[in-house]
Amino acid sequence: MSEFITLSLFASTLHLSVPVILPMLGGLLCERSGVVNIGLEGMMLSGAFGAVVFSYLTGNPWLGLGGAVLSGLISGGMLAIMSVLLRGDQVISSTAINLIGAGLTAALVPIIWGIDGTTPSVPKIPTLPLPLLPQLPVIGPLLGELSMIDVLAFALVFIVWWVLMRTDVGLRLRACGESAAAADAAGIAVTRVRIAAVILSGVLAALGGAYLSIVTLDLFQASMTQGRGFLALAAMVFGKWRVGPAFLVCLGFGLADAVALRAQIFTDELPHDLLFALPYLLALVALATFVGRASGPADVGKPFRRA
């Protein structure tokens, strides 16, 4: 057991939770503003693809990260137009984002590279170790395996919580999700707030996809997100639309992924496919049992029409 539970296991948990944490934060901001967003998976795929394309064309992975942000702005903007400006059904609109993200990226790979499925390797963002942290007692070896990208991702958890719960901007956003009519009567520009939240959700989800394609790996592969966008949604619901609990659920999914990967080394008795399905099984159990009475913001999913 001591060989199984090591610092590497906990470091892997942190690494594997990042591409779930980022879209979870985006989805939470979006739904707290009153807009349903089940399109996180498609946004992640768009971000992963955009990061690889820009990294390939420029040879600079940091510009690839900019490509992911641009992809997130586009996918978030599309959802904002369909669900906020045109007042379309929010579930159908965000489902369309998933279909576009999966279909368009898979179709563009052979057009750009002339091959199907997986792109060639591209420059990736180096995961440089943090200075000084390895010298800290106890947690030093663990933190020494993290990169600046990981630390920035975890810092975003605190930043989003602080903005959402401790600032006037967050208060306005939450007011739009709880009662758009009351927020409008108080002078809040509900449409602008919702558009900004939806676009920001696209950017955060796209960064989660970019983490997979140019930080963890150095390529894009069709459907490479493997349902992490839906895991982010499950974490958000299981956390009852609160940043802290949802973050802990993301860590739980990361731990399940890390255990599944490590278990392959220590046992051949369990099917590998069953081990890889562990995070998704946990999500199904959580959604089917513990969150039956969970309810989101009062006005989530309701188009805003100014009286």
Side-chain angles (χ1 to χ4, degrees):
M1 182 62 72
S2 61
E3 295 180 355
F4 187 87
I5 302 177
T6 63
L7 286 176
S8 294
L9 176 65
F10 292 106
S12 296
T13 296
L14 298 179
H15 285 301
L16 292 169
S17 64
V18 169
V20 182
I21 290 170
L22 291 172
M24 178 277 293
L25 293 174
L28 189 146
L29 286 173
C30 189
E31 299 212 357
R32 290 301 291 261
S33 75
V35 180
V36 172
N37 185 1
I38 61 173
L40 297 175
E41 183 80 1
M43 292 173 172
M44 288 186 72
L45 284 169
S46 299
F49 181 78
V52 167
V53 169
F54 273 67
S55 186
Y56 171 75
L57 293 177
T58 65
N60 188 328
W62 294 102
L63 291 179
L65 205 61
V69 171
L70 178 61
S71 298
L73 289 172
I74 293 173
S75 58
M78 290 174 58
L79 180 58
I81 291 172
M82 290 187 289
S83 62
V84 181
L85 291 181
L86 300 180
R87 303 187 186 93
D89 185 282
Q90 295 176 8
V91 173
I92 295 176
S93 299
S94 50
T95 300
I97 297 297
N98 281 334
L99 296 175
I100 293 171
L104 186 61
T105 54
L108 288 176
V109 169
I111 294 175
I112 297 175
W113 285 278
I115 55 177
D116 290 326
T118 304
T119 68
S121 295
V122 299
K124 61 183 290 189
I125 294 177
T127 53
L128 299 176
L130 295 169
L132 302 179
L133 288 182
Q135 283 72 43
L136 294 176
V138 183
I139 63 172
L142 171 61
L143 296 179
E145 295 191 33
L146 301 181
S147 69
M148 286 299 298
I149 302 296
D150 298 303
V151 172
L152 289 174
F154 289 114
L156 275 174
V157 176
F158 174 77
I159 293 171
V160 169
W161 170 83
W162 183 76
V163 170
L164 196 61
M165 305 305 297
R166 294 290 185 268
T167 67
D168 290 340
V169 172
L171 179 61
R172 294 188 182 96
L173 186 145
R174 289 184 284 121
C176 293
E178 293 298 337
S179 177
D184 180 63
I188 298 173
V190 175
T191 299
R192 291 182 183 178
V193 170
R194 287 187 170 183
I195 289 175
V198 175
I199 292 176
L200 184 57
S201 76
V203 171
L204 289 170
L207 289 175
Y211 186 90
L212 291 172
S213 64
I214 61 171
V215 177
T216 302
L217 301 174
D218 57 358
L219 51 82
F220 176 84
Q221 188 174 35
S223 302
M224 68 182 300
T225 51
Q226 297 180 330
R228 286 180 175 86
F230 298 110
L231 286 181
L233 282 173
M236 179 188 67
V237 175
F238 190 37
K240 300 184 185 297
W241 289 267
R242 293 178 295 170
V243 175
F247 167 68
L248 294 178
V249 176
C250 291
L251 290 179
F253 289 148
L255 177 61
D257 254 339
V259 168
L261 291 171
R262 196 161 182 80
Q264 295 183 71
I265 303 174
F266 287 88
T267 180
D268 291 325
E269 297 178 2
L270 294 175
H272 290 174
D273 290 339
L274 179 61
L275 292 172
F276 281 123
L278 185 58
Y280 309 97
L281 292 175
L282 290 177
L284 286 174
V285 171
L287 291 175
T289 55
F290 298 107
V291 295
R293 293 182 296 275
S295 58
D299 264 11
V300 68
K302 300 177 182 178
F304 171 67
R305 292 179 174 85
R306 193 167 191 177

